[in-house]
Amino acid sequence: MKKYLLWISAGVFLAGCAGQTEKGEFKIDGHFSNLPLGPVVLEELTLENVKVVDSTNIKDASGKFSLKGMVAEQGLYRIRFDNGKFVLLALDAGDMKIDGDMDKLENIKVTGSEPTTELQQFLSDISKQSISLTEEMRQLDSLHGSLPDSVFQPRLAELQKKEKDFENGFFLMADKTKNPANAVFAISQVRNGEEIVAHKQVITNLTTRFPKNTLVKSMTDKIAELQKSQQQGGGSDAAGGEEPSAVKVGQVAPDFTLPDPAGKMISLSSFRGKYVLVDFWASWCGPCRQENPNVVKAYQQYKGKNFTILGVSLDKTKDKWQQAIKEDGLAWNHVSDLKFWDSAVVPLYGINAIPTNFLLDPQGKVIASNLRGDALEAKLREVLK
């Protein structure tokens, strides 16, 4: 699951959208129950960086705040709170009100911004679908081996079709929305570069519909680079070309030390002498949970061949982290500082989306990255002969 910036080095407006104006001043009035004291920051999300636009400081229990500024065009923004939580916005000029509960951010109410209302509904829809698919995958995986192939394979094919339909939903959103920020967000959620190139007409339509939007142009330029790379035999998993990362194949992976669920400090360097998959994930990340059965399968197959896994979670709460470890059967070492995207490992490794992983050789050197599905097993089979 992408960190909501692409994009984020983990992921505009045309006439006819409720009469809103793309360019000009904006004001956001927020009212949240259970809002923690401390800073509230408005950030613009681009494909290269995160830019602070405005901020305020919550000093009382009223739960109210205001943010304001200027926009040159519709773009993707987020309101980030002091506890690491955030609300994603598709921001235009004009006045917007946001009401909600910090403990139930999926149920916020937005008035005065049709683009943000649409984006929040889309987020809610894909979250529900992702959770449902993850549960179906878990149930089917638990039956693998106990069902005859004549029963198992049709059920697997049905689930794979649902997964395909889920991915196609991102392209449908991008093609139908009147809001370029939402279109870019939808495309940025697709991790398979080949699928993006296969939906080239959707990308072409975005260029035609939103010819002046900077965010759209930045994304389409990156996709053009991706297509060129594939034509030259490169290939990639990410919407923006090769997934940006501070750690490249051939480099020694930066060492770090984080606590495990029991509070014991564990260092990456303590695994020297083994092949190690450093797996970045989180309990709240749907795509991570969907990928976990593949990781479990690889671990079970190769754990006796000088191979292990170190799970590094970007979770926020210890109980949900531990529950996910148990539910998914992740029987290897796990660490987390429970700081969400503010974890110390995020800038250290340039993590911009999860799931993300790095395969290290016994000397700690990165020999592959972003191995998912059959690619993980194939690489382990190659190096663990």
Side-chain angles (χ1 to χ4, degrees), residues 37-55:
L37 302 183
V40 175
V41 183
L42 177 68
E43 298 169 325
E44 181 181 9
L45 311 178
T46 75
L47 300 190
E48 281 74 36
N49 54 40
V50 181
K51 177 184 177 182
V52 175
V53 177
D54 194 19
S55 64

Side-chain angles (χ1 to χ4, degrees), residues 114-352:
E114 180 272 337
T116 297
T117 298
E118 179 187 59
L119 179 56
Q120 287 295 321
Q121 184 61 56
F122 182 59
L123 285 168
S124 176
D125 291 344
I126 62 176
S127 176
K128 292 175 182 177
Q129 292 176 54
S130 179
I131 291 171
S132 176
L133 283 172
T134 300
E135 181 59 30
E136 285 191 54
M137 180 175 289
R138 283 201 205 112
Q139 292 178 1
L140 186 60
D141 186 65
S142 68
L143 296 172
H144 194 197
S146 63
L147 292 177
D149 278 352
S150 60
V151 177
F152 181 81
Q153 290 302 326
R155 292 183 64 173
L156 177 61
E158 181 182 358
L159 178 57
Q160 290 173 337
K161 182 181 183 303
K162 289 182 180 180
E163 291 176 329
K164 184 71 172 179
D165 291 342
F166 176 68
E167 189 167 78
N168 284 338
F170 294 105
F171 295 104
L172 289 173
M173 171 64 169
D175 214 24
K176 76 176 185 180
T177 181
K178 299 176 181 178
N179 302 297
N182 293 346
V184 170
F185 174 79
I187 296 297
S188 75
Q189 302 306 291
V190 181
R191 298 298 300 272
N192 189 327
E194 293 182 356
E195 279 297 318
I196 293 174
V197 173
H199 288 79
K200 182 179 178 181
Q201 189 58 48
V202 175
I203 311 304
T204 300
N205 290 346
L206 291 181
T207 304
T208 302
R209 293 161 59 208
F210 312 115
K212 297 181 180 180
N213 184 263
T214 304
L215 198 58
V216 169
K217 187 178 187 306
S218 181
M219 183 190 70
T220 53
D221 285 348
K222 286 180 178 292
I223 291 174
E225 293 174 9
L226 167 63
Q227 186 175 16
K228 182 178 179 181
S229 174
Q230 289 187 342
Q231 290 172 345
Q232 293 174 347
S236 171
D237 289 330
E242 182 181 347
E243 193 72 51
S245 172
V247 180
K248 305 297 182 183
V249 171
Q251 296 179 347
V252 174
D255 194 19
F256 57 83
T257 302
L258 292 173
D260 70 3
K264 178 183 176 182
M265 302 303 290
I266 296 180
S267 298
L268 174 61
S269 56
S270 67
F271 296 93
R272 288 288 175 89
K274 289 188 174 184
Y275 286 89
V276 182
L277 184 73
V278 185
D279 185 34
F280 294 90
W281 72 295
S283 67
W284 47 261
C285 169
C288 301
R289 305 294 295 273
Q290 292 178 35
E291 180 63 20
N292 277 343
N294 295 323
V295 184
V296 169
K297 180 182 177 183
Y299 178 72
Q300 293 297 334
Q301 185 170 353
Y302 293 99
K303 65 180 180 179
K305 298 183 178 181
N306 201 37
F307 168 72
T308 191
I309 299 174
L310 178 61
V312 185
S313 171
L314 302 188
D315 266 282
K316 298 177 285 186
T317 57
K318 186 176 180 179
D319 57 340
K320 292 182 179 179
W321 174 38
Q322 291 180 296
Q323 182 180 355
I325 292 172
K326 181 179 179 180
E327 288 180 351
D328 292 4
L330 311 183
W332 48 81
N333 286 285
H334 294 271
V335 294
S336 179
D337 53 14
L338 299 176
K339 293 183 179 179
F340 196 46
W341 286 108
D342 291 326
S343 172
V345 296
V346 169
L348 187 64
Y349 276 74
I351 303 301
N352 303 306

Side-chain angles (χ1 to χ4, degrees), residues 82-98:
D82 197 39
N83 58 2
K85 295 182 179 181
F86 61 87
V87 172
L88 197 62
L89 313 174
L91 190 59
D92 282 315
D95 295 341
M96 178 194 308
K97 292 184 178 181
I98 306 177

